[in-house]
Amino acid sequence: MHIQEWLETVPAISVYALVGVVIGLESLGIPLPGEIVLVSAALLASGHDGINPWILGACASAGAIIGDSIGYAIGRKGGRPLLARLGRKFPKHFGESQIALAERSFQKWGMWAVFFGRFVALLRIFAGPLAGVLHMPYWKFLIANVFGGIVWAGGTTAVIYSVGIVAEAWLKRFSYLGLVAAVLIGVTSMLVLKNRAKKMAARTSSAPASDAGIVPAAD
């Protein structure tokens, strides 16, 4: 069976569920390749009539928002001992240097760290739990979480899906040169946000702790 024919047999509901669950678990604080899964699903949707990109984007956004909210609750309850335990289990993702970088980002940028954290793999994993550990007011976290989840998940789905549609049409008319041009045009908007988020994280990593914009509140 041709690969395209096989892909068309994949049930849409399984794709929606997989995307929502993986992104939700990643947002909760479990190191999973949420962005890779989302990009792959969006590309699949561009060549699969049964997969609705609007539903796919909605499932991805819901997974991101719900996962982050659960992560916030866990971080709020578990506190710093939770980060210490995660550091022992996942030293590559929750080591002292990664925690310090994420914490400085939150202290300096507050709500914006939650929003732009969606576009940086490290902060995407940390956003929910660390916001809870630092006792960020939930209403602030929720606003940044909702808007960040929709812009990242919905925006990524829209961009990659559009690239897939345009690339398929261009390949029929031109060649792989057309595909390269379509990809470059399609990912530009996503790269702008990603680069801005990375610059924010880089500036924060060199900032002294005294620049803190959030002071953990006492219960």
Side-chain angles (χ1 to χ4, degrees):
M1 179 182 293
H2 192 276
I3 184 64
Q4 183 63 31
E5 296 176 351
W6 179 81
L7 288 175
E8 291 177 353
T9 66
V10 177
I13 187 66
S14 65
V15 176
Y16 302 146
L18 176 65
V19 169
V21 170
V22 171
I23 291 178
L25 290 176
E26 181 191 39
S27 301
L28 191 152
I30 300 176
L32 292 175
E35 191 168 44
I36 295 176
V37 171
L38 179 57
V39 169
S40 301
L43 283 175
L44 176 60
S46 67
H48 193 309
D49 294 335
I51 299 177
N52 188 313
W54 289 95
I55 298 178
L56 179 64
C59 289
S61 299
I65 295 168
I66 294 172
D68 246 12
S69 295
I70 295 175
Y72 176 93
I74 293 174
R76 182 92 180 189
K77 183 176 182 179
R80 293 188 179 278
L82 172 65
L83 295 180
R85 290 197 298 271
L86 290 174
R88 290 192 294 269
K89 292 183 178 180
F90 306 102
K92 182 179 179 180
H93 298 278
F94 291 91
E96 292 184 4
S97 60
Q98 289 89 342
I99 292 176
L101 171 60
E103 186 170 354
R104 284 195 297 269
S105 298
F106 271 77
Q107 290 173 336
K108 187 175 179 67
W109 298 98
M111 292 174 63
W112 290 109
V114 177
F115 180 87
F116 285 110
R118 280 289 168 197
F119 301 88
V120 180
L122 172 64
L123 292 181
R124 188 160 57 246
I125 297 173
F126 272 111
L130 190 57
V133 169
L134 294 178
H135 289 190
M136 174 184 286
Y138 182 69
W139 69 268
K140 290 185 176 181
F141 170 79
L142 183 61
I143 292 174
N145 179 29
V146 170
F147 280 100
I150 292 174
V151 172
W152 173 72
T156 298
T157 301
V159 169
I160 300 302
Y161 177 81
S162 299
V163 168
I165 295 294
V166 173
E168 184 177 2
W170 280 31
L171 280 174
K172 293 178 180 177
R173 297 182 180 181
F174 301 100
S175 63
Y176 285 100
L177 183 61
L179 173 61
V180 172
V183 171
L184 290 176
I185 293 173
V187 300
T188 297
S189 59
M190 187 170 62
L191 287 178
V192 170
L193 283 173
K194 290 177 73 71
N195 287 336
R196 183 172 179 181
K198 288 180 180 179
K199 288 179 181 179
M200 180 192 72
R203 289 197 300 269
T204 304
S205 65
S206 60
S210 59
D211 288 339
I214 297 178
V215 177
D219 286 331

